[in-house]
Amino acid sequence: MKVLVDGDTIDLTSVPLLGHGGEADVYDLGARALKLYKGPRHPDVVGDKLREAAAAARLGDAEARLGSFPRNLPARVAAPRALARDVKKRAVLGYVMDKLPGRPLYELGEPRVRRAGGVELDELVAALRDLHATVAALHRAGVVIGDFNDGNVLVDGGRAWLIDADSFAWGAWPSLMFTERFVDPRLCDPSLPAPGLIKPHDQLSDWFAYAVMLFRTLCWVGPFGGVHQPADPTRRVAPAARPLRGPSVFDPEIVYPRSAAPLAVLSDELLDHFAAVFDRGQRAPFPPALLDRLRLRRCTTCGLDHARARCPACDRRVAVPASFGDLTVTPIDPHSITWGAHEVRADAGPGTAMWMTGAALWHRTHLGPEVVGQIVPGATRAWVGANLGAGLWRAGGYAVALTFVPGRRGVDDRARLPAIRGRIVAQGCVLGDDRAWLWWREMDGARERVRVVAVGQGRVLGEASADAADLGGQADHAWLAGLAGACAAGAMLLVPTDDGVVRVELDGAALRVTRRFPDTRDFVVAADDLAVAPGGLAVRKAGAPLLVGGSVARAVRLTFTQETRGR
């Protein structure tokens, strides 16, 4: 396909992809990026009447909407710089913007990222202040962000960039999109089972979304996370409906996620403000003074980021026993753990055994570099372990799993995956000896969904999926929240959850929990990483470290002295 930008013709067949979204594909033009809208005949759209209609309307309005985009907006907004047109018909197909540095804000609210210490706290607070200033400046310019979420904010040091500016609301052009976790419930139909926008976004809804982002960044969970467990089960509110009807995490009937940072990490004034917004429906611009007074510090003992004079987690930590029933807990060095897989990168430097370059997967032999097999350039992710490698690519409406054997030539890409229509916000792979479990989190419209697929022998062996909003409330699917820390043991998948380790196996064409290990609950949370270790199971604490035998342990080995206790 070819497009016309500023009089120049660009052949997209030779341009690498930066990413896929629900509405558009984004291409890498070097210093700039091209956002190309998906038309009604796009493979990710065709066959779905609602998507086809929305795509046609988006292209039909593109000329007028983008042509009226406001000028002189804040510098942190990735505004359209030029229009991309059809070479023959000259119809607007998308636009060009500056390619910006940074990582999505949602990554900075992930327990694994924060516990690893990869975030400079002063820079994080500066970025949150920077984002606040941009929101306020947009409002002064008469612009509403609308579909404001932590996927369209890129953080680079102390700077925060806003992307997807074409979805803003300005003049006669409304913002029609929304994200369930960030949409203001006062603008939604209260009778629906999940948030559904029925009133236009406004400035106060932008500040509500900002409050959600700030809360999640500081506490590593959304304001309506956790599990609602009232004394009367008939009063239980379904997870997807809690943004509409409550309760929030401040309610005593909520079982707060053990993987999240405790609410006590927040200052009293932040706690009061968040409770007013999420419990009492207060709406107002976020007070900038709360950010000016925010001082985060990292506990040198447990690694928790907090805004208190003393670490609230260490003050309340309770020692766990070195043995529990048939379970023995032994502190180990986190660096001694052997992990089952690592991602294949594009780096072919010295010591790199496998890498991807262009349309090929490569490995190093004693005779030099050798092609293992063909891949789709710019659209492939792959991981490799000791005995197996696996990955997936997505292009042209297809999603395909691939497997390969380290040290051998050949890629098996016969396994067709379920359609991926939205934007992948996270993905990974767990490798066994003869199969792989590929998982991803996908933003499709307003909703985020989690899916895992077991592949082997050139076919899909089984799968499981659930809406992300349901992971805290459905026992059958809660394990999907721990996939990033799972490990393989033969044909089984061992997954960390807030209720301990669970074992997942194939049940026909479905992946289901076949055994739970409640004795492990005190030692494992969903954010931890598991690995098979000599004599047991290694646990690296992405959640709070354990206090074992009077010392803090960031990793332990769980050993069952008798037949493994489970149910």
Side-chain angles (χ1 to χ4, degrees), residues 286-450:
F286 190 91
L290 296 186
L291 293 174
D292 293 338
R293 292 192 290 269
L294 178 60
R295 298 291 184 272
L296 293 180
R297 50 186 60 86
R298 181 165 294 137
C299 178
T300 56
T301 300
C302 74
L304 183 70
D305 302 333
H306 63 90
R308 297 285 183 172
R310 293 165 55 100
C311 175
C314 288
D315 279 350
R316 303 177 185 180
R317 179 171 289 115
V318 177
V320 296
S323 62
F324 185 84
D326 296 326
L327 186 65
T328 300
V329 183
T330 306
I332 59 175
D333 182 352
H335 299 98
S336 69
I337 302 173
T338 301
W339 301 103
H342 67 270
E343 187 165 4
V344 179
R345 304 289 187 179
D347 180 14
T352 303
M354 297 198 75
W355 65 95
M356 293 185 289
T357 299
L361 176 67
W362 295 75
H363 68 175
R364 201 177 302 278
T365 72
H366 67 283
L367 297 177
E370 180 182 53
V371 173
V372 176
Q374 299 301 306
I375 59 173
V376 178
T380 303
R381 296 278 298 273
W383 295 261
V384 63
N387 301 311
L388 185 69
L392 63 86
W393 58 259
R394 172 194 179 190
Y398 294 96
V400 173
L402 56 95
T403 57
F404 53 92
V405 177
R408 299 183 189 176
R409 296 184 61 185
V411 168
D412 188 340
D413 57 3
R414 294 173 293 168
R416 177 82 174 268
L417 296 175
I420 303 174
R421 293 181 179 269
R423 172 170 55 93
I424 293 179
V425 297
Q427 63 188 118
C429 178
V430 182
L431 292 171
D433 291 333
D434 66 348
R435 67 194 64 195
W437 292 264
L438 294 161
W439 63 266
W440 60 91
R441 301 175 74 101
E442 176 188 0
M443 277 300 307
D444 189 9
R447 184 165 298 179
E448 182 178 335
R449 193 162 182 82
V450 183

Side-chain angles (χ1 to χ4, degrees), residues 32-54:
R32 300 193 298 176
L34 167 64
K35 183 172 182 177
L36 197 68
Y37 296 126
K38 297 177 180 179
R41 307 315 299 168
H42 189 283
D44 289 349
V45 175
V46 69
D48 186 316
K49 297 302 181 184
L50 291 178
R51 294 176 193 268
E52 290 177 2

Side-chain angles (χ1 to χ4, degrees), residues 3 68 76 88 118 134 236 243 249 259 315 320 378 387 456 458 465 518 524:
V3 296
S68 69
R76 296 286 190 262
K88 295 181 179 179
T134 299
R236 180 180 177 274
V249 292
S259 298
D315 279 350
V320 296
N387 301 311
S465 64
V524 176

Side-chain angles (χ1 to χ4, degrees), residues 133-158:
T134 299
V135 176
L138 283 169
H139 290 173
R140 289 193 296 269
V143 175
V144 170
I145 300 171
D147 186 18
F148 192 17
N149 62 78
D150 56 6
N152 57 26
V153 178
L154 298 180
V155 175
D156 178 38

